[in-house]
C-alpha cells in the first residue's frame, strides 16, 4: 500500500551485468556496500560473467600444481578464489560477489541492474534478457559509448531503458578501474532522474502509482510506460543509489543530467585516442591540452546540437566532465594504447588484439559510430577533431596535420 510505514518486505537484489576490468571493480565496491546496508539490499551481488576458460598463471597464489596449465572456467575460479584472475588480477573480491555464467539466472528477480560491459555487447545482452527481468527493475549504466542506428544517436542508458521497458540512469567519472579496485580515492558522477511514479519518498507517499510516464533523454514524454517500484521494496532514488555506490575511496556526486554524464563519458574516448596519437608522435602536454580543449568544445557542441532540451553545462565540471577528459587523455587505456600504436607503427586493432588480453578500447568503435551519425546528418565538418581521429584510425590523415585543425 502506498505510504505504508511498515518496513518493506523485500530488499533490492543487485546484479552487475558484466565482469571486465570495470565491471569486476564495480561489483566489488557495490558488494562492500550491500554488506553495510542490509536493510536495503540483499547481501549477495550477482555478477554475470561472459564465460571463458582461463589458465591461472604459475605466479598467482591461486595456482594449483595439480591443475597446472589446464584451462578452468573463469566463474569457477572467481567463486573459489574470489579473484577475477583475467580482468582484475591481484584484487581480492568480497565473498558476496557471486560470479554467474547464466545471464538469465543472474538477472532473475533483480530489482537493480548495473550494466557494465563494452558497449558493443549491450545490444545482444538486452535482446537476451528482455522479458526475463522484473518489470519494476531499475538500471544504472556504467558503459561509456553510444548506440547509433543510421542517423539516430542514442545514449546507452536510453537504449537499455527503451529496449527493456525500465528506467535506466548512468554512472560515469574519472575512474581508472585498477586504481579504484586498489581503493585509491577518486570521484564519480551518477545521473538519475527518479521517475515520477517512484517518488514516494520525495513527495510523501501519495503519488506512487502502479505505473507511469517519464521523460526521456530529450525531455519528451517517453513511449515506455514504467512499472513503479512496488511499495514492498525500498525506494530507488538518489539516497539509495548513493548508499549502493559511495565508498570512502569512491566519492559519488548525484545529478540529474543523464545526457551530459553519458555523452561526456562516451566522447572523451575519441579525444583520448587523439592524445595518444599526439604523444606517440613525440609531442607532449602542451599539445595534448590543446587537443583536450578542442575535444571538450566538440563534446559540448555535440550535446547542445543533438540534446538541446536537457543538457546542463554544469555537468562538464563534474567528475564525468573535465576530470574524466583529463584522466582519460593522460593515463587510461585508449590513450595508452593509441600512443603505443603510433610508436610501433601498427594499427589500433592490432594493439588491442596483442596487448589487451581481452579488454576493449571503446574509442575505436565510438569514433566510427559518432562519425557515421555525423556523416548521415551531413555535419561532420563541424567536428574537425572527431573527423581527424577517424582519419588517423583509417590511415587517411596524419597526426602531424592535427595543428591545421586549430587554424580558423
Ligand atoms: N576499465 C576502466 O578503467 C573503465 C571502464 N569503463 C567502461 O566500462 C565498460 C566496461 O569496460 P570494462 O569492464 O573495462 O571491460 P574490459 O574491456 O575490461 O573487458 C571486456 C569484457 O567484455 C567481455 N566480453 C567479451 N566478449 C563478449 C561478448 N561477446 N558478450 C559479452 N561480453 C563479452 C569479456 O568477458 C570482458 O568481461 C566500458 O564501456 C568502459 O568504457 C568506465 C570507467 C573505467
Ligand atoms: O573511462 C575511463 C577513465 O575514466 C577508462 O578509460 P579506458 O577505457 O580508456 O581505460
Amino acid at each position: 500500500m502506498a505510504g505504508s510505514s511498515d518496513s518493506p518486505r523485500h530488499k533490492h537484489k543487485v546484479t552487475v551485468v558484466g565482469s571486465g576490468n570495470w565491471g569486476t571493480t564495480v561489483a566489488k565496491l557495490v558488494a562492500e556496500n550491500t554488506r553495510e546496508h542490509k536493510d536495503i539490499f540483499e547481501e549477495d551481488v550477482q555478477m554475470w560473467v561472459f564465460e571463458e576458460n582461463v589458465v591461472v598463471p604459475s605466479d598467482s597464489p591461486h595456482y594449483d600444481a595439480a591443475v597446472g596449465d589446464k584451462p578452468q572456467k573463469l566463474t569457477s575460479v572467481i567463486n573459489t578464489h574470489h579473484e577475477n584472475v583475467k580482468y582484475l588480477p591481484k584484487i581480492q573480491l568480497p565473498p558476496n560477489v557471486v560470479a554467474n555464467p547464466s545471464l538469465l539466472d543472474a538477472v532473475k528477480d533483480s530489482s537493480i541492474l548495473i550494466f557494465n560491459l563494452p558497449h558493443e555487447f549491450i545490444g545482444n545482452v538486452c535482446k537476451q534478457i528482455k522479458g526475463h527481468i522484473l518489470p519494476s527493475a531499475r538500471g544504472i549504466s556504467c558503459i561509456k559509448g553510444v548506440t547509433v542506428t543510421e542517423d539516430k544517436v542514442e545514449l546507452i542508458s536510453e537504449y537499455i531503458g527503451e529496449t527493456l521497458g525500465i528506467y535506466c540512469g548512468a554512472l560515469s567519472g574519472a575512474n581508472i578501474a585498477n586504481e579504484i579496485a586498489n581503493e585509491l580515492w577518486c570521484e564519480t558522477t551518477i545521473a538519475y532522474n527518479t521517475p515520477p511514479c517512484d517518488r514516494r519518498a520525495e513527495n510523501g507517499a501519495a503519488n506512487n502509482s502502479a505505473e507511469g510516464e517519464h521523460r526521456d533523454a530529450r525531455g519528451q514524454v517517453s513511449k515506455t510506460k514504467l512499472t513503479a517500484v512496488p511499495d514492498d521494496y525500498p525506494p530507488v532514488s538518489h539516497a539509495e543509489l548513493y548508499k549502493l555506490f559511495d565508498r570512502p575511496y569512491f566519492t559519488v556526486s548525484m545529478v540529474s543530467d543523464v545526457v551530459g554524464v553519458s555523452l561526456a563519458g562516451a566522447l572523451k574516448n575519441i579525444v583520448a585516442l587523439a592524445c595518444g596519437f599526439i604523444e606517440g608522435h613525440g609531442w607532449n602536454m602542451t599539445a595534448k591540452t590543446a587537443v583536450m580543449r578542442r575535444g571538450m568544445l566538440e563534446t559540448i557542441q555535440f550535446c547542445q546540437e543533438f540534446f538541446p532540451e536537457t543538457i546542463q553545462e554544469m555537468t562538464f565540471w563534474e567528475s564525468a566532465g573535465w576530470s574524466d577528459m583529463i584522466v582519460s587523455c593522460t593515463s587510461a587505456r585508449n590513450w595508452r594504447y593509441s600512443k603505443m600504436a603510433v610508436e610501433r607503427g601498427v594499427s589500433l586493432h592490432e594493439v588491442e588484439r596483442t596487448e589487451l588480453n581481452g579488454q576493449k578500447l571503446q574509442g575505436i568503435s565510438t569514433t566510427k559510430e559518432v562519425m557515421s551519425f555525423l556523416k548521415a546528418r551531413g555535419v561532420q565538418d563541424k567536428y574537425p577533431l572527431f573527423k581527424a581521429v577517424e582519419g588517423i584510425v583509417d590511415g587517411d590523415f596524419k597526426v602531424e596535420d592535427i595543428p591545421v585543425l586549430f587554424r580558423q
Side-chain angles (χ1 to χ4, degrees):
M1 186 179 56
S4 162
S5 58
D6 298 342
S7 29
R9 227 164 21 93
H10 294 283
K11 296 174 185 182
H12 288 296
K13 178 181 168 191
V14 180
T15 296
V16 179
V17 179
S19 55
N21 192 229
W22 186 223
T24 310
T25 302
V26 168
K28 171 184 178 289
L29 68 88
V30 158
E32 289 164 358
N33 279 332
T34 56
R35 288 206 290 205
E36 286 183 14
H37 300 288
K38 292 190 189 127
D39 52 326
I40 306 175
F41 308 109
E42 285 183 16
E43 196 170 340
D44 279 357
V45 170
Q46 291 281 314
M47 177 172 79
W48 173 62
V49 175
F50 181 73
E51 187 69 291
E52 58 187 295
N53 288 323
V54 292
V55 174
V56 177
S58 56
D59 62 350
S60 163
H62 311 308
Y63 179 77
D64 178 350
V67 177
D69 283 352
K70 222 168 100 199
Q72 305 172 62
K73 297 274 181 235
L74 180 56
T75 45
S76 145
V77 175
I78 295 173
N79 288 333
T80 308
H81 301 295
H82 308 294
E83 185 182 315
N84 185 340
V85 292
K86 176 152 185 192
Y87 293 103
L88 194 65
K90 301 193 170 66
I91 298 294
Q92 184 72 27
L93 301 175
N96 57 326
V97 171
V98 180
N100 191 337
S102 161
L103 180 56
L104 294 194
D105 190 57
V107 299
K108 186 169 179 275
D109 297 331
S110 280
S111 44
I112 299 185
L113 300 168
I114 300 169
F115 295 90
N116 199 329
L117 69 172
H119 76 277
E120 46 270 52
F121 304 129
I122 191 65
N124 193 24
V125 160
C126 285
K127 228 179 272 162
Q128 291 180 62
I129 67 176
K130 189 179 161 83
H132 297 276
I133 59 167
L134 286 181
S136 59
R138 295 292 177 257
I140 292 288
S141 165
C142 304
I143 299 169
K144 292 181 176 174
V146 286
T147 303
V148 167
T149 32
E150 291 164 5
D151 68 342
K152 186 174 169 215
V153 66
E154 266 186 310
L155 313 179
I156 301 286
S157 53
E158 208 183 355
Y159 172 81
I160 293 170
E162 279 171 16
T163 310
L164 301 180
I166 61 172
Y167 178 76
C168 186
L171 179 154
S172 185
N175 301 142
I176 303 284
N178 290 332
E179 294 188 15
I180 296 146
N182 279 297
E183 305 189 1
L184 305 179
W185 175 73
C186 73
E187 291 186 300
T188 203
T189 317
I190 298 179
Y192 194 86
N193 270 308
T194 310
C197 61
D198 289 352
R199 286 193 192 149
R200 61 187 134 147
E202 289 158 36
N203 293 343
N207 73 343
N208 174 259
S209 53
E211 78 166 24
E213 56 186 30
H214 68 296
R215 294 198 176 262
D216 64 18
R218 290 159 178 83
Q220 311 294 318
V221 173
S222 169
K223 283 189 244 110
T224 308
K225 284 274 177 290
L226 296 176
T227 301
V229 174
D231 278 3
D232 53 2
Y233 278 83
V236 183
S237 63
H238 280 197
E240 292 74 27
L241 292 171
Y242 184 85
K243 285 186 178 144
L244 185 58
F245 288 98
D246 186 77
R247 294 295 300 156
Y249 57 86
F250 193 62
T251 300
V252 168
S253 161
M254 300 291 313
V255 303
S256 60
D257 179 7
V258 182
V259 170
V261 166
S262 304
L263 286 179
L267 300 178
K268 63 84 187 172
N269 280 332
I270 308 180
V271 189
L273 293 185
C275 283
F277 295 145
I278 287 267
E279 209 168 329
H281 179 69
W283 290 331
N284 211 329
M285 264 321 274
T286 44
K288 284 200 319 183
T289 49
V291 165
M292 285 184 224
R293 186 188 70 82
R294 166 72 61 168
M296 187 54 103
L297 284 177
E298 291 187 18
T299 298
I300 295 172
Q301 180 185 320
F302 188 97
C303 295
Q304 287 172 336
E305 185 162 2
F306 303 112
F307 294 84
E309 297 85 2
T310 48
I311 188 68
Q312 296 164 23
E313 283 206 33
M314 273 313 288
T315 304
F316 299 102
W317 297 101
E318 294 285 344
S319 178
W322 263 114
S323 309
D324 195 11
M325 177 68 81
I326 294 167
V327 86
S328 295
C329 293
T330 54
S331 55
R333 295 171 300 187
N334 281 282
W335 159 78
R336 187 180 312 282
Y337 292 101
S338 53
K339 172 171 176 284
M340 186 183 284
V342 172
E343 285 166 348
R344 293 186 181 174
V346 297
S347 75
L348 263 179
H349 286 291
E350 174 76 1
V351 172
E352 185 179 53
R353 196 176 58 75
T354 58
E355 303 299 323
L356 272 133
N357 193 28
Q359 294 186 29
K360 298 282 173 206
L361 296 177
Q362 298 279 266
I364 306 175
S365 41
T366 303
T367 303
K368 282 275 156 231
E369 283 154 354
V370 166
M371 285 309 297
S372 97
F373 166 72
L374 294 174
K375 284 178 198 166
R377 294 284 177 119
V379 292
Q380 67 272 28
D381 292 337
K382 286 162 70 181
Y383 295 85
L385 181 68
F386 294 172
K387 189 176 160 190
V389 172
E390 186 191 41
I392 296 168
V393 172
D394 290 346
D396 301 332
F397 193 85
K398 291 200 187 69
V399 180
E400 52 267 42
D401 292 335
I402 282 182
V404 130
L405 308 176
F406 292 72
R407 301 214 175 90
Q408 299 286 317

